[in-house]
Amino acid sequence: MDGRFPLVALAALSLVASGCQVLPERQGDRSERRLPPPIDRSGSGQGVVPTTSDSDRKCLGNLAASGARFTRISNRSDGPGCYFSGGLSLTELQGDRSRFTVTNVRAVQCTAANALSGWARYGVDRAAREYLGSGLARIETMGSYACRNVAGTSRRSGHSRAEAIDIAAFVLEDGRRVSVLDHWNGGSAAERRFLRRIQESACKRFGTVLGPDYNAAHRDHFHVETGGGGFCR
């Protein structure tokens, strides 16, 4: 053994004593290098970007395959019981023969959008051709997401989770407008049959469907919601 070993040992001890790091830097040691938060471009001001779970991906894939046009939006939370994730803004749906627009659905859960897509195509559009002799051109809604309670209660509405949409009227390709308010009781026999038929078909796709026969608050729209236990009135 030559005389250099004590010198090497001494140098190693010196490094340990001085606190020098001889191992590679770990990921956990980079806390000071955090990236800035993502930019929210949805206009909601919440600063949260959409997440995509497996169920989200499947739902969005089904919605896209149906021919719907939509835009993903940021997750949102506005207080206790008012939130949604995996939401979207919906603008167009596909029928058997043509496309039709959807108004005022700026924030809705994908599952509710998928239910609306199927109902609009197989329920509303086909019933319009059968009873009224013209295809669907536009569905007019009163909106979807809103942080509010069920009227007269302290329980949060399905709107507070973006699971519900209020449907007010249907515009046909020939220009006629059939509204829940004006035609549920006051329309022609064909218009009344059309509205009752599409409410029945909505009950097969949504968990809760409320219309003019439920109460006065629904005299001017159909409330369709993915949640609920199959209540249809």
Side-chain angles (χ1 to χ4, degrees):
M1 182 183 296
D2 61 31
R4 286 179 299 171
F5 177 75
L7 291 176
V8 172
L10 254 150
L13 286 171
S14 231
L15 281 169
V16 172
S18 65
C20 289
Q21 186 65 262
V22 293
L23 297 175
E25 184 185 39
R26 295 173 299 172
Q27 283 296 116
D29 296 327
R30 297 183 181 179
S31 57
E32 73 280 7
R33 300 181 189 180
R34 291 173 186 162
L35 295 173
I39 298 171
D40 174 15
R41 303 187 187 280
S42 70
S44 66
Q46 301 303 308
V48 184
V49 296
T51 56
T52 306
S53 65
D54 288 342
S55 59
D56 284 341
R57 277 189 288 272
K58 183 177 179 180
C59 182
L60 291 165
N62 290 338
L63 187 61
S66 76
R69 290 185 181 173
F70 58 91
T71 304
R72 290 293 309 280
I73 60 175
S74 296
N75 300 340
R76 181 162 181 162
S77 177
D78 291 314
C82 293
Y83 60 88
F84 63 82
S85 61
L88 55 93
S89 173
L90 184 65
T91 55
E92 288 188 14
L93 296 172
Q94 179 66 50
D96 289 334
R97 307 178 194 176
S98 62
R99 303 185 66 78
F100 32 85
T101 58
V102 182
T103 69
N104 204 32
V105 182
R106 300 187 181 94
V108 68
Q109 290 279 17
C110 181
T111 50
N114 254 320
L116 181 68
S117 174
W119 176 58
R121 180 172 188 169
Y122 301 112
V124 182
D125 187 37
R126 291 183 180 182
R129 295 181 189 280
E130 179 183 349
Y131 289 101
L132 304 174
S134 179
L136 184 64
R138 182 170 70 249
I139 296 177
E140 296 179 356
T141 87
M142 296 177 173
S144 46
Y145 175 73
C147 184
R148 68 171 187 251
N149 293 344
V150 175
T153 75
S154 58
R155 182 167 53 89
R156 288 298 193 196
S157 164
H159 289 285
S160 67
R161 299 178 299 279
E163 295 176 349
I165 306 167
D166 288 341
I167 313 291
F170 309 88
V171 178
L172 307 183
E173 290 176 342
D174 64 10
R176 279 178 292 171
R177 182 177 183 272
V178 181
S179 74
V180 177
L181 178 62
D182 295 330
H183 299 97
W184 181 260
N185 291 317
S188 67
E191 289 165 342
R192 294 195 302 272
R193 284 198 301 269
F194 164 72
L195 289 173
R196 282 158 178 77
R197 172 70 175 273
I198 65 175
Q199 184 188 28
E200 289 172 6
S201 65
C203 295
K204 298 174 183 177
R205 294 182 179 272
F206 293 93
T208 300
V209 178
L210 307 176
D213 287 344
Y214 179 61
N215 61 18
H218 293 84
R219 68 188 181 281
D220 58 355
H221 69 278
F222 295 135
H223 170 98
V224 295
E225 179 183 341
T226 53
F231 187 79
C232 179
R233 178 78 180 277

